[in-house]
Amino acid sequence: MAAKPEKKPFLLRINPAVLAAVEKSAAADLRSVNAQIEILLREALARRGRDLGTD
């Protein structure tokens, strides 16, 4: 089994309304808020043509 890539902690200051929307979205997708933010960031980067490679 391949080793998981290391995750780097990152402090995020976020507008309360944006956080509430992310929390609702995460709950609907049965994900943690952290996982939801990472998914949203990956989707936004993909739309901008930023290839992250495979995990």
Side-chain angles (χ1 to χ4, degrees):
M1 188 185 284
K4 284 187 171 184
E6 186 177 323
K7 300 272 183 162
K8 183 176 179 178
F10 178 77
L11 178 64
L12 176 66
R13 291 181 187 93
I14 189 168
N15 177 290
V18 173
L19 180 58
V22 172
E23 288 172 335
K24 277 185 169 181
S25 178
D29 292 345
L30 301 175
R31 290 190 184 107
S32 68
V33 170
N34 187 73
Q36 191 71 2
I37 289 170
E38 187 167 350
I39 295 277
L40 293 169
L41 286 170
R42 286 176 179 272
E43 289 173 353
L45 288 167
R47 282 193 309 269
R48 290 177 173 247
R50 302 288 194 243
D51 183 20
L52 300 177
T54 57
D55 290 346

